Structure formats: C-alpha cells, structure tokens
Amino acid sequence: MATGNAKVCGVIGNPVGHSLSPLMHNEIAKAMGLDYIYVPCPVAEDAVGDAVRGAYALGFAGLNVTVPYKQRVIPFLAETDESVRCIGACNTLVRLPDSKIEGYRGYKGYNTDAEGLFRAMRDQGMEIRGRDCLLIGAGGAARAAAYLLIREGAASVTVLNRSQDKAEALAADMRRMAAEKSTAPPGSGMPPEGLSGSITAVSALPPERWRKLPGDSYLAVQTTSVGMYPHVDASPIEDRDFYKKIAQAVDVIYTPSRTRFMEFTEAAGGRVCGGLDMLIYQGVAALELWNPGVKVPREVVDRVRKIMEEQLHG
Ligand code: NAP
C-alpha cells in the first residue's frame, strides 16, 4: 500500500488505457512491499513537453513513454543514455536529482526494450556473444534488438525485412554502432568488450532470398508485426524449410503467446521464446532504474507473468 512518501511513476502516451504497465508495476510493488505507485497519464499531442515538466514539478521519480511519443519526448530530456542514442527512441525517463546551482534538472532518457529482450533471452539460455544472428524486421522493435545484438557482440547479423530500403538503413546504422563500439573507451555505454578484435558483420537480405544464408543454426529475433493478433495464421517467411536454419528464436510478439513463427521454428527442431518476458523485463528494468538497490527476484517475475497472461489471454 502506497503511503504519503510513496515514490510516484507513471506512463505517458496516447492512448494509455490499454497499457499493462500500471498492472505490472503495482503488482511488483505489492509483491515486494515497495512504497511505490505507478499511474497512467494520457497526454495530448501538443502537451508532451508540458507533461515532462509537469511530472518533474509534481515530483515524479520517473516515467515510461509509449506510443506515439517515444521519439517526440527526446527534445525534452536533460540527458540521454547510449541506448536512446543508438535506438533513436526513449521509453523510460529517470529523474535527475535537483541541483542547488542549476535548480530544475529534468530527466535522463533510457530505452529499456533492449535490456528487456536481453533478460528474456538470458532466462532461456540464449547467448548472443559470438553467434550468427537473423534480425527479422526493421521497425521500432528491430532497432532495440539491433542495439542489443551489437552490444552483446554477435558475430554476424543479417537483417531480413519486407522493405529492403529500411533493412539497408538499419544495417548501415548497426555498422556505425559496431564501429563506435570497437573504438569506445572503457566506461562508456558501449565498451569494446566483444570477442577480441571482432566487430559484428552486418548485412541485409530480401526475405525471399533466405536460401542464400550460409548458416544452419542461427539465433533469430522476429520483430515484425506479422502473426500478431488477429492475423495469427501469418508468418514473415512462410516456407517451412527456412526454419531448419534456426537453432533458437525469440518472437517479440506477445499476442498470441505462441505465434505461427514460433510453431514453425519448433516444428523444425529449434527452441523458442515469446515476447511477454521482454515486455515484463523492460518494465522491471525501468522499475530498477527508479528504485536504486531494488532487484526484482525471479519469483516476482513469475507471479507477474501469470497475472499478465490471464489479462492478455483470459
Ligand atoms: P513497426 O515499427 O511498425 O515495424 C513493423 C515491422 O513489421 C516492419 O519491419 C514492417 O516491415 C514489418 N511488417 C509489417 N507488416 C508486414 C507484412 N504484412 N509483411 C511483412 N512485414 C511486415 O512496429 P514495431 O513497433 O517494431 O512493433 C512490431 C511488433 O513488435 C509488434 O507486434 C509489437 O507489439 C511488438 N513489440 C513487442 C515488444 C515487447 O516488449 N515484447 C516491444 C515492442 C514491440 P516494413 O519495413 O516493410 O514495413
């Protein structure tokens, strides 16, 4: 139960009524006995800056940012983390402490989607370092996955996306990230800690030319919206032979809990993980940024997953 001293956080977006974040954060607070409360904040199109300044004035410790403001919020931030600069979108604001000299300091922006994906994959024993990876899609979720694959030192990444220009643009951005990583000083957001001397090799390939892929045990991250409810019978690549090339895969879609892409991968002998854990862990990562010293234990994550599954799938 929140007291008068509760740490207050929330989500801004438009709309926010469908957001599962209030349920998730308040369940974690209850399970862990945190004096913490999380509220939905619908914000009008022209009021993003006012909302950020207003939240600061009201003492909010942090905010999540959802559609359509993940890019639009960036000009209103005092600082940005490496994750925001690489992904180009921000989903978490963390209050900077007031300064006696500067007064209002505002918020630092983070993107916790990549960290959410990382923790979800780690739970499933899906190691990225040194792996040949497929990144299917080139939209917003793909950019978070792209940052993660570079950050964690994948050996190679092939981007497969319906629109080849977007695949090429994302591949070019990833090459820049990989080059920056290889020259980054220790202690910066992206230390040069990949495999000794290795830089992730990045390429783009039209999905219909998947037979050109040389490997047969890829780690795949499916980030398109193909197969999402209600179009549950679709998969971004329909040819079942493609799936023989995948050893492990994550589909970031969380409705349905088991996508056609996951079914095809499993039927071909691969291991799979759905998108709900990424969703949960991006929230957990934000909560941990707002509550320094708090580490959400596995049993609380399991409890929250059950509640969210009920909410999503009945
Ligand atoms: P987005 O920016 O709109 O990108 C959509 C992607 O899907 C693009 O690569 C697009 O290809 C592709 N696509 C859409 N329709 C297609 C079709 N008919 N055939 C082939 N490709 C198609 O969307 P997003 O924000 O990245 O979200 C994508 C999915 O990720 C959604 O299902 C969303 O719910 C999920 N997601 C999950 C999490 C999580 O925490 N688990 C977080 C973020 C997003 P083109 O470039 O050719 O248009």
Side-chain angles (χ1 to χ4, degrees):
M1 195 65 172
T3 73
N5 293 315
K7 186 166 280 194
V8 183
C9 293
V11 55
I12 60 168
N14 189 359
V16 291
H18 66 288
S19 173
L20 292 170
S21 294
L23 173 71
M24 175 165 68
H25 283 265
N26 292 321
E27 279 298 335
I28 296 174
K30 194 163 73 181
M32 296 184 67
L34 301 176
D35 197 5
Y36 165 75
I37 187 161
Y38 186 102
V39 291
C41 307
V43 169
E45 292 273 317
D46 57 355
V48 179
D50 288 346
V52 172
R53 280 186 290 271
Y56 192 90
L58 288 168
F60 275 50
L63 289 173
N64 277 140
V65 184
T66 188
V67 178
Y69 302 138
K70 286 185 180 189
Q71 275 120 21
R72 234 181 292 171
V73 76
I74 295 174
F76 303 106
L77 301 175
E79 291 177 29
T80 50
D81 178 60
E82 177 77 50
S83 54
V84 171
R85 294 196 294 278
C86 286
I87 297 168
C90 171
N91 75 343
T92 301
L93 272 51
V94 178
R95 185 188 186 89
L96 294 167
D98 278 327
S99 141
K100 282 203 177 93
I101 304 159
E102 299 160 83
Y104 172 84
R105 289 193 62 213
Y107 292 94
K108 178 171 178 178
Y110 293 80
N111 191 312
T112 62
D113 279 343
E115 182 61 20
L117 180 59
F118 174 70
R119 294 190 193 190
M121 291 173 78
R122 188 189 54 192
D123 275 7
Q124 298 297 321
M126 294 185 186
E127 173 80 27
I128 295 168
R129 194 163 296 258
R131 293 289 298 277
D132 291 316
C133 301
L134 302 178
L135 177 54
I136 304 166
R143 296 196 77 86
Y147 169 66
L148 177 67
L149 296 176
I150 298 293
R151 190 188 85 179
E152 292 303 311
S156 72
V157 181
T158 307
V159 182
L160 302 155
N161 189 53
R162 174 180 62 177
S163 308
Q164 188 59 14
D165 55 338
K166 288 189 195 156
E168 295 286 0
L170 180 57
D173 282 353
M174 290 175 76
R175 282 186 211 107
R176 268 192 292 278
M177 281 182 221
E180 269 168 37
K181 180 184 168 190
S182 71
T183 56
S188 65
M190 275 197 165
E193 60 188 9
L195 295 177
S196 50
S198 74
I199 295 186
T200 306
V202 185
S203 56
L205 185 73
E208 60 280 9
R209 294 180 60 201
W210 64 264
R211 284 180 195 280
K212 297 266 178 213
L213 292 167
D216 57 6
S217 59
Y218 288 98
L219 172 61
V221 187
Q222 194 310 103
T223 68
T224 74
S225 47
V226 182
M228 191 169 83
Y229 182 83
H231 306 290
V232 297
D233 290 334
S235 187
I237 296 179
E238 295 289 350
D239 191 332
R240 304 281 291 253
D241 284 345
F242 165 71
Y243 296 87
K244 293 179 187 160
K245 288 186 168 286
I246 298 175
Q248 295 173 319
V250 187
D251 192 331
V252 305
I253 290 174
Y254 51 87
T255 48
S257 56
R258 205 174 141 70
T259 60
R260 182 54 59 94
F261 178 87
M262 291 163 70
E263 278 172 26
F264 284 175
T265 303
E266 259 190 349
R271 281 211 304 116
V272 297
C273 155
L276 183 57
D277 277 14
M278 173 182 171
L279 181 70
I280 294 171
Y281 276 123
Q282 61 75 31
V284 166
L287 184 144
E288 290 177 355
L289 282 169
W290 297 325
N291 294 276
V294 169
K295 199 89 197 83
V296 179
R298 178 73 74 94
E299 54 274 20
V300 172
V301 171
D302 291 343
R303 177 171 161 174
V304 167
R305 186 187 303 107
K306 252 192 211 135
I307 292 166
M308 290 182 62
E309 271 167 355
E310 267 165 38
Q311 190 73 18
L312 283 167
H313 312 298

